[in-house]
Amino acid sequence: AVELISGPVAIPSPAGVTVTAVSSAIDMLNAAEQKVEQGCDIFIASAAVADYRPEAVPEQKIKKSQSKMVIELIKNPDIVATIAARKDKPFTVGFAAETQDVISYAEGKLKNKKLDMIVANDVSDQRIGFNSEDNAVRALWSGGRQSFSQQSKSILASHLIELIISNLPANQ
């Protein structure tokens, strides 16, 4: 079974997928941890939530009173790193959307977040990635790396799933 945890989006959910809708990073982390506790073999964190959130959320509309305003921000939890740090962790895959030193940053995230695999994505290339039906990525894991040339995202997704499955530990 495929479970999708998603924030508010304007795209339809994929067919055959159970969706858990969330509205905050904390809600997403709680839902992810619950899914792992219920039994999860593979955890793919394909998009990060915002790195920061407002420290305080006012209950009423903020009225215009001054020409400047300061909003204090606090860090959101790192969901994929939290899942990867669990003793009962599933095979955990993250993504690194970068604009420079793509592979170097991806290697750092793979190691520092204790991921099993990371997919590096150069988002500075305007022809692919965001706002395009195509992408080109490089997958990295402790035993190797594999590049995927520009292709449709649906075909790329199938190739990535095959690569993930081929790298699962024998006991999964």
Side-chain angles (χ1 to χ4, degrees):
V2 176
E3 302 268 346
L4 172 64
I5 303 168
S6 177
V9 294
I11 56 175
S13 300
V17 170
T18 301
V19 178
T20 299
V22 297
S23 59
S24 73
I26 302 297
D27 291 344
M28 187 171 282
L29 174 60
N30 291 338
E33 289 187 308
Q34 182 180 38
K35 298 297 181 189
V36 171
E37 288 166 10
Q38 293 171 351
C40 173
D41 298 316
I42 303 168
F43 183 85
I44 302 172
S46 61
V49 297
D51 291 332
Y52 294 90
R53 69 182 185 274
E55 183 172 34
V57 178
E59 301 217 1
Q60 304 293 323
K61 176 186 174 198
I62 300 172
K63 296 289 186 185
K64 191 181 338 177
S65 61
Q66 299 173 346
S67 61
K68 287 187 177 183
M69 172 185 278
V70 175
I71 299 174
E72 295 287 328
L73 300 176
I74 57 175
K75 248 185 171 180
N76 266 326
D78 188 324
I79 297 169
V80 72
T82 301
I83 298 301
R86 292 176 61 104
K87 289 184 180 183
D88 62 345
K89 80 176 198 116
F91 187 88
T92 306
V93 181
F95 278 67
E98 303 293 346
T99 57
Q100 61 185 9
D101 300 324
V102 176
I103 300 305
S104 176
Y105 283 124
E107 288 171 337
K109 287 180 180 181
L110 178 69
K111 179 181 175 189
N112 297 334
K113 296 183 184 212
K114 299 181 172 88
L115 305 177
D116 295 299
M117 183 178 287
I118 193 160
V119 179
N121 184 9
D122 183 350
V123 295
S124 68
D125 187 339
Q126 299 296 314
R127 299 170 299 129
I128 57 174
F130 298 128
N131 300 319
S132 172
E133 291 300 315
D134 290 348
N135 208 351
V137 299
R138 183 176 293 176
L140 298 86
W141 62 98
S142 64
R145 54 182 62 190
Q146 183 171 339
S147 294
F148 295 91
S149 60
Q150 184 173 338
Q151 56 194 283
S152 81
K153 289 179 181 176
S154 60
I155 292 172
L156 180 57
S158 294
H159 289 310
L160 288 172
I161 293 297
E162 289 170 4
L163 182 64
I164 291 166
I165 291 168
S166 71
N167 279 279
L168 288 174
N171 61 354
Q172 277 191 314

